[in-house]
């Protein structure tokens, strides 16, 4: 079978518990888990000499639907999927899980520092070098918070995503410095790191671990 590469949970606007999974490079799949929070539905009938109670059988698997435009998902932030990876250079995509079938359920954002190079390419004034191409390789999110995410780019830089930035409430991407975050740069190209976000007492904090695979 396929390898599960992403697993998360969230509640949709109707309050239903939803599971979110992804296998390899497939689309995100939403599982309706509301049945798991309900008591077993029973039906009963009685006659003069008998009484019969039956339990509605549990389905073999919960109902599900796939989310359009979500093949590059790297993490789940509240009701949104954060997408990047090798198929998206110099940009990322924010996909709404609440509109899984809509072709317009996603917003694409240019990575910081990549917009000018991309603009030059689109106007035919130049050709991007391989070193100009950036991609999101890792995402740290909070399951119940769609307003914040930390993005790690393939050059090791860290970008902060906020759903409502300072400019007219639009989504914002900002490169974070080591002085601001305390996250040290990778010692060498073959090193990797894991970033996790937490929100104790309402304050967002990041925990970082570096390792040599």
């Amino acid at each position: 079978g396929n390898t599960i590469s992403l697993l998360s949970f969230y509640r949709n606007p109707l309050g239903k518990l939803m599971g979110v999974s992804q296998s390899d490079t497939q689309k995100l799949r939403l599982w309706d888990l509301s049945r798991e929070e309900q008591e077993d539905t029973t039906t009963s009938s009685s006659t003069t000499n008998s009484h019969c109670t039956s339990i509605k059988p549990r389905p073999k698997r919960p109902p599900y639907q796939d989310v359009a435009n979500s093949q590059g998902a790297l993490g789940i932030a509240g009701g949104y999927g954060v997408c990047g990876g090798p198929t998206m250079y110099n940009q990322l995509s924010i996909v709404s899980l609440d509109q899984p079938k809509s072709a317009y359920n996603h917003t694409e954002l240019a990575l910081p520092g990549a917009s000018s190079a991309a603009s030059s390419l689109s106007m035919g004034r130049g050709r991007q070098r391989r070193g100009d191409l950036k991609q999101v390789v890792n995402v740290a999110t909070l399951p119940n918070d769609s307003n914040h995410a930390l993005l790690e780019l393939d050059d090791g830089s860290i970008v902060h995503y906020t759903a409502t930035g300072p400019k007219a409430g639009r989504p914002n991407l900002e490169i974070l410095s080591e002085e601001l975050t305390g996250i040290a740069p990778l010692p060498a190209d073959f090193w990797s790191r894991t970033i996790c976000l937490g929100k104790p007492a309402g304050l967002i904090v990041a925990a970082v671990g570096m390792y040599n695979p």
Side-chain angles (χ1 to χ4, degrees):
N2 292 330
T3 300
I4 300 296
S5 57
L6 187 153
L7 184 63
S8 185
F9 301 90
Y10 90 107
R11 291 190 182 276
N12 68 12
L14 298 178
K16 286 186 177 182
L17 177 63
M18 308 294 291
V20 188
S21 68
Q22 185 181 41
S23 300
D24 298 325
T25 57
Q26 303 299 313
K27 297 178 182 178
L28 288 174
R29 178 160 290 183
L30 294 182
W31 303 86
D32 184 353
L33 303 180
S34 57
R35 171 67 171 77
E36 305 302 320
E37 296 188 311
Q38 300 173 356
E39 295 182 0
D40 289 331
T41 302
T42 61
T43 59
S44 62
S45 60
S46 60
T47 62
T48 305
N49 300 320
S50 66
H51 179 83
C52 177
T53 300
S54 62
I55 299 177
K56 185 178 180 179
R58 181 184 299 274
K60 292 183 178 180
R61 63 179 179 181
Y64 69 87
Q65 54 184 328
D66 293 335
V67 181
N69 305 304
S70 64
Q71 291 90 331
L74 297 172
I76 303 299
Y80 294 88
V82 183
C83 303
T87 61
M88 299 188 67
Y89 284 113
N90 290 343
Q91 62 181 342
L92 80 154
S93 178
I94 306 298
V95 180
S96 173
L97 303 181
D98 298 328
Q99 305 176 60
K101 298 299 183 182
S102 173
Y104 308 101
N105 65 352
H106 63 297
T107 300
E108 295 181 353
L109 303 172
L111 295 177
S115 57
S116 58
S119 175
S120 175
L121 177 65
S122 64
M123 296 179 67
R125 294 199 301 265
R127 185 174 184 178
Q128 281 181 294
R129 300 184 303 272
R130 180 63 182 86
D132 295 329
L133 301 177
K134 300 179 181 179
Q135 60 175 291
V136 180
V137 296
N138 189 24
V139 172
T141 61
L142 294 165
N144 299 317
D145 188 340
S146 59
N147 293 317
H148 299 276
L150 283 185
L151 318 173
E152 182 180 10
L153 307 187
D154 55 354
D155 63 0
S157 57
I158 301 296
V159 175
H160 182 208
Y161 162 81
T162 50
T164 53
K167 296 181 179 180
R170 298 176 181 177
N172 184 63
L173 294 172
E174 179 184 5
I175 295 180
L176 301 180
S177 65
E178 179 184 356
E179 292 76 15
L180 181 63
T181 63
I183 301 177
L186 296 174
D189 291 342
F190 52 83
W191 279 70
S192 299
R193 63 182 158 206
T194 298
I195 305 175
C196 296
L197 292 184
K199 199 174 183 180
L203 178 66
I204 298 178
V205 297
V208 183
M210 292 193 295
Y211 59 95
N212 182 350

